[in-house]
């Protein structure tokens, strides 16, 4: 595996592979890698010939200087891990390589960026994400790029971005990897103490309660109340707990279609997010089970 810090060098390396007809997969990360990232890398290794993992703690997407400075960093371990997995390139540029002096351009995806994380962290958060991902797409020109459903709104923003700007890349949304007790893996989990780690499991339990209530036929209000009481039992006050349409990320009623229950909350000093698909059970009297052709009927 080769660690590359300059855009020009990475472009030159990848041009050789492209000329040889090899497909390129990109897994963008902010490092402090865990099994969630590893699942994305495995997927990329299965589907593409040359995998680039980018490691860049993007200052533009942090609204809080303390959050940026305390974000976990462990580049030596990350480099060893991706090398063992069979990744060809680790792209780990310094900040000035991505945002050189005079840098002036921002990519904004309206609408889908504005609620939930955009409302809590400020619209600048997804401006930062959309800008750096656009730059990575331009630098790497991947055939496929891999993102985690754990950051569901980020996936929706990037899918919109790729469609709107006609970027020729296939965006793969990969399933959320969880610890056995349900906690979604996150680089930020490292900063939870043992007590916080135990309390943090309430987020996935709350989402599971919303999903169960929906499957039992509850409406949105009742399903969210079930989720909120799970958080209250752990002494957690959510920044948001919502049911949204996964394409628009706007609050939505529950019906027979798939929705997403989404949550964000602080557990001590650590801000966590999670989500789970939910669907309301709605018996439809007009949609009876069809009798197979040729089967005996009562009539
Ligand atoms: P990050 O380093 O947190 O920016 O994450 C890099 C990529 O890994 C993003 O596409 C995330 O959605 C994805 N990711 C983070 N946590 C998980 C997880 N628990 N399961 C699957 N993907 C994840």
């Amino acid at each position: 595996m080769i660690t590359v810090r300059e855009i020009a060098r990475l472009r030159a390396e990848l041009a050789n592979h492209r000329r040889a007809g090899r497909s390129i997969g990109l897994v963008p990360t902010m490092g402090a890698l865990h099994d969630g990232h590893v699942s994305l890398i495995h997927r990329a290794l299965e589907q593409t010939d040359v995998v680039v993992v980018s490691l860049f703690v993007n200052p533009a997407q942090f609204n809080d200087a303390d959050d940026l400075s305390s974000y976990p960093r462990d580049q030596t371990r990350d480099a060893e891990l991706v090398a063992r997995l069979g990744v060809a390139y680790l792209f780990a540029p310094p900040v000035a390589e991505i945002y050189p002096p005079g840098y002036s351009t921002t990519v904004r995806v309206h609408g889908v960026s504005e609620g939930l994380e955009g409302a809590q962290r400020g619209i600048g958060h997804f401006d930062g994400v959309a800008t750096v991902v656009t730059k990575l797409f331009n630098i790497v020109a991947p055939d496929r790029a891999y993102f985690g459903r754990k950051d569901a709104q980020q996936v929706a923003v990037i899918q919109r971005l790729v469609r709107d700007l006609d970027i020729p890349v296939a965006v793969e949304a990969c399933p959320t990897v969880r610890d056995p007790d349900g906690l979604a893996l996150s680089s930020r989990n490292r900063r939870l103490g043992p007590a916080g780690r135990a309390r943090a499991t309430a987020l996935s339990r709350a989402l599971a309660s919303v999903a169960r209530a929906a499957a039992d036929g509850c409406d949105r209000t009742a399903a969210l109340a079930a989720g909120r009481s799970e958080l209250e039992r752990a002494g957690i006050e959510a920044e948001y707990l919502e049911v949204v349409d996964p394409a628009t990320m706007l609050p939505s009623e529950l019906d027979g279609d798939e929705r997403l229950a989404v949550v964000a909350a602080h557990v001590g000093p650590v801000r966590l997010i999670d989500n789970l698909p939910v669907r309301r059970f709605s018996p439809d009297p007009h949609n009876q089970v069809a009798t197979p052709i040729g089967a005996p009927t009562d009539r």
Side-chain angles (χ1 to χ4, degrees):
M1 191 208 56
I2 304 175
T3 298
V4 180
R5 301 198 186 276
E6 305 85 31
I7 293 168
R9 163 99 194 274
L10 185 65
R11 281 212 171 111
E13 291 272 347
L14 294 175
N16 290 332
H17 290 295
R18 217 169 280 115
R19 263 195 300 276
R22 297 185 193 110
S23 60
I24 295 169
L26 171 67
V27 182
T29 82
M30 297 203 299
L33 302 181
H34 51 65
D35 282 350
H37 300 112
V38 170
S39 73
L40 269 50
I41 294 169
H42 279 312
R43 193 75 176 263
L45 288 165
E46 278 163 26
Q47 296 186 340
T48 57
D49 301 319
V50 178
V51 173
V52 180
V53 172
S54 65
L55 194 170
F56 182 64
V57 183
N58 177 29
Q61 71 189 67
F62 285 80
N63 55 322
D64 172 347
D66 288 343
D67 191 24
L68 174 61
S69 64
S70 62
Y71 197 84
R73 291 167 171 87
D74 197 345
Q75 217 181 102
T76 310
R77 181 189 154 277
D78 289 344
E80 284 165 10
L81 173 64
V82 295
R84 269 203 309 278
L85 293 173
V87 165
Y89 298 100
L90 179 67
F91 178 50
V95 171
E97 183 74 4
I98 298 296
Y99 302 115
Y103 185 88
S104 311
T105 302
T106 297
V107 179
R108 170 165 296 181
V109 180
H110 292 272
V112 70
S113 291
E114 287 161 22
L116 307 177
E117 292 300 283
Q120 291 297 325
R121 301 180 68 173
I123 187 77
H125 167 63
F126 283 121
D127 289 355
V129 170
T131 301
V132 82
V133 170
T134 303
K135 285 180 66 88
L136 289 169
F137 286 165
N138 284 333
I139 293 164
V140 176
D143 297 280
R144 312 183 77 83
Y146 298 82
F147 296 88
R149 290 187 194 276
K150 151 85 166 39
D151 298 283
Q153 192 175 11
Q154 176 170 280
V155 169
V157 167
I158 289 162
Q159 284 171 334
R160 188 74 256 166
L161 167 78
V162 163
R163 277 199 297 274
D164 288 355
L165 297 186
D166 306 303
I167 302 176
V169 60
V171 172
E172 282 270 329
C174 303
T176 300
V177 177
R178 298 175 181 282
D179 273 335
D181 61 8
L183 180 65
L185 299 191
S186 163
S187 305
R188 295 171 195 272
N189 293 354
R190 293 179 177 205
R191 296 178 51 226
L192 293 164
R197 173 70 188 68
R199 282 175 67 219
T201 58
L203 268 70
S204 60
R205 280 202 305 280
L207 295 173
S209 295
V210 176
R212 249 192 326 271
D216 287 346
C218 289
D219 66 7
R220 173 177 166 279
T221 309
L224 288 175
R228 251 190 311 275
S229 63
E230 196 64 60
L231 292 174
E232 278 161 17
R233 262 196 289 282
I236 293 173
E237 197 185 329
E239 276 185 7
Y240 58 77
L241 174 67
E242 250 312 343
V243 171
V244 299
D245 180 319
T248 61
M249 290 288 150
L250 291 172
S252 169
E253 291 303 323
L254 280 162
D255 58 21
D257 293 334
E258 186 169 292
R259 299 284 181 255
L260 220 49
V262 291
V263 66
H266 274 91
V267 178
V270 186
R271 185 173 184 278
L272 299 174
I273 61 170
D274 198 357
N275 67 83
L276 200 66
V278 300
R279 195 188 284 268
R280 185 180 185 185
F281 172 70
S282 47
D284 179 357
H286 304 294
N287 186 14
Q288 291 167 346
V289 177
T291 309
I293 295 167
T297 63
D298 293 337
R299 272 169 278 157

